[in-house]
Every structure is written in structure tokens, then in C-alpha cells.
Amino acid sequence: MLFLFLPITKGTWKQALAGVHELQQQTLQVSDPGPDLRASTGVHFFLFYALPANTRPPIHVTSFQTEQNKDLLVVQAIYDADFAPYIGSFVQQPEIAKGLNLIVKLLDESNIPGIDPDGPNSANFIKKNGGVVANPDAFNCLLMKYNFANPVVPGVAYVDPKAIKNPIFGATFPGLTVGKILQYYPNANQLWPSPPATNVVFGKSVQPQCNP
């Protein structure tokens, strides 16, 4: 799982959300030349959340807070296979790489304690040296600077209490990957059509009424 808290330039949070939405659409369509890598590195779930600079979320938890004078982009993704191939499959697709370069362009790493804004794994370095395609390792390390989760912890159905480690990543169907669904299930292409279906309607939930 990835759980990224990315500091981005003040005033760009809407541009960032638009960029990651387009990135997700490109990921689903896989219109670029080359093999379709979704079966080995499929994403089960993703979430994007943005917070304008100098604001707080409507919950009393300090994790979701912006650096001074910076917007915040939160990204969560649950994926199959190893982390490096998962990220690598995005970088290999030119249209997807464009979206990743946009996110790198919007990052603002200045004046953050412990962060070198011009270091070898910085957004500035990647921008000046050919983007994410030319610097896949630097891009991976850039993400890890802002990742709250552990990208290599596999999901499990049960954890022995004597062996608990932080974090615990639970999986309802451990071992059931996107690749297995596409490979073995009848009519699996209907589960993940390409281009993606646009007429799917999800049921709406009711907001619980809570006392202040």
C-alpha cells in the first residue's frame, strides 16, 4: 500500500487533482504501445485527497496538515505484486509518465526540515534531468520520503498476536490478485474493460447523523 502526503505548490491543489484524475484514466485505458501490464501490477483501490495551504481538515488529527504555505496532496493506492514493478509499469507508459511529471512539477520541497530540495532524489533533480522516465529510482525514493505506509508489506488474512508488527495490512481475499481475476475468471474482460466503462452507477450511502 502507498499512503503519500505530498507537499505541492500553494494554489495548485485543484490542478493536482485534475492531473491525478487524468493519470488514473490513462492507467485504465492503457492506450500506449507495449504490453498491458495491469494483470501483474493491477490497482485494487485508489484515493486522492487535497488540502489547500494553511488550512486544516475537519477532523482533530494532526497527520493531515499542510506545510506552511503549501497545499497538500494525499494519495492512497493498494496494488498487486512488488512495489518497483508497480511503479515501473506507470513510468513505462508515455502518457502516464506525463501525468507523473505533472505531479513532480507541482511538488514544493523547499523549507521542509530534513528535506534537501535539490538532492539526488528530489523533485527538482528529476525535473532538471529528464523527468520520471529517465530517473525511475529517484522517483521511487522521492515517493518514499512522503509515504506513511510500508510499500512492501503484503496483505494477510490473519496475524499471530505474538508476531504483530507496525503496520498491519489486512486482506479479505489474500492471494486473489487482479492478474488472477483477468486470467481465470470467465468473461474477466467485463470486470476490467478497456477502455473503461462509463455507465456504471454505484449505490449511494446515507451520511450518519452524529451529535456534535
Side-chain angles (χ1 to χ4, degrees):
M1 181 175 70
L2 283 181
F3 199 10
L4 306 174
F5 293 81
L6 302 175
I8 57 177
T9 303
K10 183 179 180 180
T12 64
W13 67 273
K14 288 185 179 181
Q15 183 181 357
L17 284 180
V20 293
H21 174 71
E22 177 61 25
L23 175 62
Q24 187 259 341
Q25 295 301 309
Q26 292 294 342
T27 304
L28 287 175
Q29 293 184 47
V30 194
S31 57
D32 292 319
D36 183 346
L37 300 175
R38 294 174 302 171
S40 61
T41 59
V43 177
H44 288 292
F45 172 86
F46 68 91
L47 175 146
F48 304 121
Y49 174 80
L51 193 64
N54 305 321
T55 62
R56 292 178 59 87
I59 57 175
H60 301 286
V61 178
T62 57
S63 295
F64 286 81
Q65 59 184 339
T66 64
E67 288 285 342
Q68 186 174 8
N69 295 321
K70 303 181 196 300
D71 292 357
L72 175 69
L73 177 65
V74 180
V75 180
Q76 185 180 29
I78 298 173
Y79 49 88
D80 290 338
D82 294 332
F83 171 70
Y86 163 67
I87 293 296
S89 67
F90 287 85
V91 173
Q92 292 172 13
Q93 299 286 339
E95 289 301 318
I96 296 175
K98 285 182 183 179
L100 297 177
N101 282 329
L102 171 63
I103 301 303
V104 171
K105 177 182 177 182
L106 296 180
L107 286 177
D108 180 0
E109 298 187 276
S110 63
N111 302 315
I112 300 177
I115 297 294
D116 182 356
D118 296 303
N121 298 321
S122 67
N124 284 340
F125 177 89
I126 294 173
K127 287 184 284 189
K128 295 176 181 177
N129 291 277
V132 298
V133 175
N135 302 277
D137 292 337
F139 179 63
N140 289 353
C141 292
L142 171 67
L143 296 181
M144 289 306 96
K145 285 191 290 185
Y146 303 104
N147 185 30
F148 190 76
N150 185 332
V152 298
V153 172
V156 294
Y158 172 78
V159 178
D160 187 333
K162 297 179 181 179
I164 287 179
K165 295 182 180 180
N166 189 14
I168 295 174
F169 176 36
T172 305
F173 301 103
L176 179 59
T177 66
V178 171
K180 289 182 179 179
I181 293 174
L182 293 175
Q183 182 176 0
Y184 296 114
Y185 280 32
N187 304 313
N189 63 317
Q190 296 179 25
L191 298 175
W192 197 336
S194 180
T198 59
N199 61 345
V200 178
V201 178
F202 294 96
K204 295 183 178 180
S205 297
V206 177
Q207 178 71 24
Q209 299 298 315
C210 303
N211 296 324

